[in-house]
Amino acid sequence: MKGPGAGPASPEPGPASPEPGPASPEPGPASPEPGAARPGADPGSPGPDRADAPKVRLRGTRRPPTRTSRLLQNRWAGAAGLLVALLAPFVNATPYALSIMTSAAIFVMLAAGLNIVVGYCGLLDLGYAAFLAVGAYTSGVLATRFDLPLLATVPAVLVVTVLAGIVIGAPTLRLRSDYLAIVTLGFGEIIRITANNLDVTGGPSGIYGIPHLADGPVAFYYLTVAVVSLAVLGAARLGRSRLGRAWRFVREDEDAAEATGVNTYRVKLAAYIAGAIWGGLAGVLFAAHLSAVSPASFTFLQSALVLMAVVLGGMGSVPGVVLGAIVISLLPEVLRDLADYRFFLFGVLLIGFMLLRPQGLWPARSKEALRSEEALR
Amino acid sequence: MTLLDVTELRLSFGGLLAVDGLSLSVREGEIVSLIGPNGAGKTSVFNCVTGFYRPTAGRITLRGRDLRGLRPSAVAGLGVARTFQNLRLFGELSVLDNVRAGTHLWLRQSVLDALLHTPRYRRSEHECTEQAHHWLDFVGLRGDRYGPARALPYGEQRRAEIARALARRPGLLLLDEPAAGLNHGEKAGMVDLIRRIRDLGVAIMLIEHDMGLVMEVSERVVVLNFGREIAEGRPEEVRRDPAVIEAYLGGEPDA
Ligand SMILES: Nc1ncnc2c1ncn2[C@@H]1O[C@H](COP(=O)(O)OP(=O)(O)O)[C@@H](O)[C@H]1O
Ligand SMILES: [Mg+2]
């Protein structure tokens, strides 16, 4: 992860301040040139290619037509994925299969949310299940205590998860990334242990009798798919926005991001809050799905599995993390016949895969696709 | 009119005084060079001005506004852009995205616009991309704009970083050794580019070791040694100054 960066708040610049300390000799005018490949011609010399030359010429030459089709590919991939999700119950609609598929869809939403924090912004969060817990408990407690329909608890869930995001994010996001990982790990455990010990959350046995969100498992499955699709689309759209770019600038180089005017602290907090919202809303679906919530659902393993989905799929890539989440949640089911060996094989498969393809199943591209607003130019 | 005013700037790292009571000013639209041997404290001055280092003492004002205690993004918000001595591009991101970073401060687009793809979102994204292309054209970038920045040849990366700074539409641009590592032809291109930036009305503070380049573009030169100003004036005055020649080791200030 990244170094500390000479935080504006630090009185003395730290070791990773924007310029090298005494140890690194600075390249004088005659220093060897770092770049191997150099353009033959000087790009800035007076000539037809200078800035005052017509722009069309400069741009037109480097726009392979395949980019538009690549963009379409992504769109089609999304549509195809949704279609598969919609048709799945026609293939197998046993309560068991529906339950597995609903869980997988909720898991996809978690991965999309964690991807904002880890993939876009580069903040390692090892306690993401905490937000799932906050959402599920807030929704479950309110619904059972005050006899509210689950839908009515959503505004409260939003408020509480945003607050949770701020409470954990505000003090820790000034820390270096590796410290952040440890703090989030602790936060995840604190939430679980708190839920385990409070009366209002039902202690170790949790709360049960949480009302349904829809009539029957099929309707609930479709509702979940709809909500999760919107969440995935939303995460993708955020990624392609001013804020989404700022997240990537922070991930790539915090100091350079600051220098271009990105308030890295606020932008990181925004990523954290977005992640919290996605996780919290997934928690509502989670509570509705199981109709019961207990601390056992929010262990470190759960956080680790979501993180694994993000890494397996390809950090920062929305189609990737969706795919990763589906694989992580369905693979143990596929391996079910192996009984006790299935988790062992699951682990071996994951390790093998990450060794063979560390960039993930469907990695984010460095190469930019031509966007619609450019295609119209 | 004075744009940047630095008074009695002091910066110490433990016992080491990197900047020792430096005063200087930059007027609107002016090119001022900051030169001096390695370790003289030039980059430290930039880091103080841009908010990366907190000065031990002294005052820094931009158009009369005190910059002390502002974080770098806030300084950028007041119209100061910079490049780094060791290129700091976002290597994995596309060249276009790098330059889009410069638009962050003025692009009007809310999270809701982005989620709902409102007309304002489309308009602002379009403008952002247009501007990125505009500044890449301005610096004369020839390489692949859609590919990752790290894939650009070194000289082109220097230009891309300047394009990113310009997309901020700064009033003051700080260039830290923009010609370091460039070949002869590319240096000539850099002279031309710096002049064209000045012609936009942008004031420039330049750190550069290539004396030829400094003499060609600067209106004023400030010479630092051990964090202190040892000479200041027009290029031809400064290059004849005995103290300057002495500082460059009895040297030919490289012509
Ligand atoms: N972050 C830092 N920590 C400790 N010392 C530093 C730091 N930054 C710069 N210095 C020291 O301050 C002095 C001036 O450095 P710098 O401003 O980089 O010089 P220049 O850019 O003129 O070569 C050097 O002695 C350098 O080692
Ligand atoms: Mg320097």
Side-chain angles (χ1 to χ4, degrees):
Chain A
M1 295 271 145
K2 267 175 305 250
S10 57
E12 296 282 52
S17 43
E19 298 295 343
S24 46
E26 74 188 276
S31 64
E33 289 142 8
R38 328 200 80 238
D42 166 44
S45 61
D49 263 326
R50 255 188 37 184
D52 20 327
K55 292 170 190 169
V56 196
R57 201 183 153 278
L58 267 172
R59 291 175 208 168
T61 48
R62 52 186 76 90
R63 192 191 287 170
T66 53
R67 291 218 177 82
T68 328
S69 51
R70 281 230 224 117
L71 181 76
L72 285 179
Q73 260 180 31
N74 245 357
R75 285 254 163 93
W76 284 117
L82 185 58
L83 196 67
V84 169
L86 292 178
L87 292 180
F90 292 95
V91 179
N92 188 344
T94 59
Y96 180 73
L98 273 174
S99 168
I100 297 293
M101 290 191 304
T102 308
S103 291
I106 295 171
F107 198 69
V108 165
M109 181 156 171
L110 285 174
L114 185 62
N115 185 44
I116 295 175
V117 181
V118 179
Y120 289 164
C121 203
L123 304 167
L124 186 52
D125 185 341
L126 294 179
Y128 189 62
F131 295 118
L132 178 72
V134 168
Y137 270 110
T138 306
S139 170
V141 168
L142 289 178
T144 50
R145 295 250 157 172
F146 303 105
D147 260 338
L148 290 173
L150 269 191
L151 206 55
T153 67
V154 168
V157 167
L158 284 175
V159 171
V160 174
T161 47
V162 167
L163 282 179
I166 293 173
V167 164
I168 176 69
T172 53
L173 288 174
R174 295 185 201 275
L175 296 177
R176 265 171 51 184
S177 193
D178 29 5
Y179 294 130
L180 182 70
I182 294 168
V183 173
T184 51
L185 180 68
F187 175 66
E189 287 304 283
I190 287 170
I191 291 285
R192 187 178 59 80
I193 293 166
T194 305
N196 204 31
N197 290 302
L198 284 184
D199 284 338
V200 67
T201 54
S205 53
I207 42 180
Y208 33 86
I210 297 169
H212 292 295
L213 259 178
D215 295 330
V218 176
F220 182 64
Y221 171 73
Y222 280 115
L223 177 73
T224 303
V225 167
V227 172
V228 171
S229 301
L230 286 178
V232 169
L233 183 68
R237 285 187 167 185
L238 277 184
R240 288 194 306 264
S241 71
R242 173 176 176 269
L243 180 61
R245 280 191 293 272
W247 284 333
R248 291 199 188 84
F249 302 149
V250 168
R251 182 190 72 199
E252 289 289 308
D253 187 331
E254 269 190 53
D255 290 326
E258 274 283 341
T260 56
V262 175
N263 184 328
T264 53
Y265 178 68
R266 273 170 47 184
V267 158
K268 285 193 278 186
L269 195 56
Y272 227 71
I273 291 172
I277 291 174
W278 262 245
L281 291 181
V284 179
L285 292 173
F286 187 83
H289 179 43
L290 299 182
S291 83
V293 191
S294 79
S297 307
F298 311 108
T299 55
F300 171 67
L301 181 65
Q302 180 72 1
S303 297
L305 283 175
V306 184
L307 186 61
M308 216 186 280
V310 171
V311 175
L312 176 77
M315 292 207 278
S317 153
V318 171
V321 300
V322 169
L323 207 59
I326 292 172
V327 169
I328 295 284
S329 52
L330 294 188
L331 199 56
E333 299 307 321
V334 175
L335 302 175
R336 181 155 285 266
D337 292 343
L338 298 168
D340 286 348
Y341 290 107
R342 67 188 172 126
F343 286 110
F344 172 73
L345 192 62
F346 180 64
V348 168
L349 282 177
L350 283 179
I351 293 170
F353 178 83
M354 290 320 293
L355 287 175
L356 290 175
R357 199 174 159 81
Q359 71 273 35
L361 285 167
W362 188 326
R365 287 185 303 255
S366 287
K367 191 98 181 154
E368 182 169 335
L370 191 66
R371 305 197 213 178
S372 51
E373 84 266 0
E374 270 193 284
L376 298 175
R377 289 188 338 160
Chain B
M1 202 193 118
T2 306
L3 179 66
L4 177 75
D5 210 8
V6 175
T7 331
E8 286 297 313
L9 181 70
R10 211 172 294 272
L11 175 72
S12 66
F13 295 108
L16 179 90
L17 266 178
V19 184
D20 185 7
L22 178 74
S23 297
L24 61 81
S25 63
V26 180
R27 289 188 286 271
E28 302 266 5
E30 190 184 24
I31 303 183
V32 177
S33 287
L34 197 56
I35 66 169
N38 281 342
K42 307 178 296 292
T43 299
S44 297
V45 172
F46 272 21
N47 282 335
C48 287
V49 170
T50 50
F52 281 98
Y53 289 176
R54 182 165 292 185
T56 313
R59 258 171 76 79
I60 303 172
T61 59
L62 186 81
R63 295 196 181 95
R65 197 181 182 303
D66 197 343
L67 298 186
R68 266 179 313 183
L70 295 186
R71 57 185 298 140
S73 56
V75 176
L78 294 173
V80 180
R82 72 173 290 181
T83 63
F84 292 88
Q85 181 172 342
N86 308 306
L87 280 166
R88 297 290 285 266
L89 285 171
F90 307 117
E92 293 301 311
L93 305 183
S94 72
V95 176
L96 271 175
D97 262 352
N98 270 272
V99 185
R100 285 188 183 108
T103 72
H104 182 84
L105 277 165
W106 53 259
L107 200 67
R108 293 285 156 254
Q109 182 194 102
S110 71
V111 167
L112 221 54
D113 286 326
L115 285 175
L116 302 178
H117 276 195
T118 60
R120 191 158 77 140
Y121 166 81
R122 287 176 202 284
R123 233 181 302 122
S124 60
E125 284 297 294
H126 179 81
E127 193 189 357
C128 172
T129 303
E130 280 296 315
Q131 281 289 311
H133 279 300
H134 170 79
W135 292 112
L136 287 169
D137 290 345
F138 184 88
V139 301
L141 190 109
R142 293 180 164 192
D144 181 4
R145 298 171 181 199
Y146 298 90
R150 61 172 157 69
L152 286 180
Y154 179 74
E156 293 258 280
Q157 293 195 17
R158 286 254 171 227
R159 285 170 183 275
E161 202 189 18
I162 294 175
R164 178 175 75 187
L166 288 173
R168 155 69 215 88
R169 301 172 179 164
L172 173 65
L173 176 62
L174 309 181
L175 297 172
D176 198 343
E177 302 197 20
L182 298 191
N183 66 30
H184 196 69
E186 287 170 332
K187 275 184 181 164
M190 191 54 73
V191 169
D192 172 65
L193 176 58
I194 291 172
R195 288 197 173 130
R196 284 189 294 118
I197 295 171
R198 195 264 321 273
D199 292 345
L200 296 171
V202 178
I204 296 174
M205 234 176 125
L206 175 71
I207 296 177
E208 185 48 60
H209 277 297
D210 186 310
M211 283 307 148
L213 193 152
V214 168
M215 295 299 150
E216 252 187 280
V217 300
S218 320
E219 279 145 88
R220 259 179 335 116
V221 179
V222 174
V223 190
L224 276 188
N225 202 12
F226 299 111
R228 244 177 257 157
E229 179 190 301
I230 57 167
E232 192 258 300
R234 283 181 295 136
E236 55 281 15
E237 296 165 4
V238 162
R239 80 186 309 175
R240 282 193 297 267
D241 195 306
V244 177
I245 296 169
E246 173 67 30
Y248 278 88
L249 290 171
E252 12 76 85
D254 179 354

